[in-house]
Amino acid sequence: MVGSLLEIDLEKLLLSIESRCGIKLPRRVIETYLDVDHDILFIRFKEPSNTEVGEPLEIKAIATLFTEEKTNEITALEIIGISELLKELNPDLKRS
């Protein structure tokens, strides 16, 4: 289980998700939150100006990509089961 944000290489994580899902994620991260008790990682790329909508990503872990409804710009990513996703994508994503 991930115990700290410092254990996650966010850049490699984003690259791995892009590769696996065939998407391009923003590189500007304005907020991250790790809920250790529930194994959830939330990454905010941009504050939405309007309504956000969520779409599931096609990976083993439960992951939702949030976009602005009107512009379709990616605003956030939420991963439930981040520990399992790190193992699934690549063991090198978790720092020792």
Side-chain angles (χ1 to χ4, degrees), residues 3-96:
S4 168
L5 277 172
L6 297 175
E7 296 176 25
I8 302 170
D9 187 328
L10 287 177
E11 185 174 19
K12 284 183 181 178
L13 175 63
L14 295 178
L15 288 169
S16 293
I17 291 172
E18 286 178 336
S19 176
R20 174 68 59 89
C21 298
I23 59 173
K24 181 72 175 153
L25 296 170
R27 285 297 177 270
R28 183 171 182 255
V29 174
I30 62 170
E31 177 185 358
T32 56
Y33 172 73
L34 177 65
D35 181 335
V36 177
D37 295 330
H38 297 99
D39 202 30
I40 298 172
L41 176 66
F42 182 82
I43 303 169
R44 168 75 62 198
F45 302 109
K46 175 186 182 224
E47 289 296 335
S49 333
N50 292 304
T51 306
E52 273 183 310
V53 293
E55 292 284 329
L57 290 179
E58 293 191 26
I59 52 179
K60 210 175 197 179
I62 299 170
T64 304
L65 186 66
F66 293 91
T67 57
E68 279 196 58
E69 189 173 42
K70 289 184 179 179
T71 64
N72 209 32
E73 285 184 83
I74 295 171
T75 55
L77 175 65
E78 180 181 58
I79 302 164
I80 300 172
I82 185 61
S83 297
E84 287 304 312
L85 179 64
L86 292 173
K87 289 178 197 170
E88 175 189 343
L89 292 176
N90 185 342
D92 295 335
L93 294 175
K94 189 172 177 193
R95 297 178 177 173
S96 303

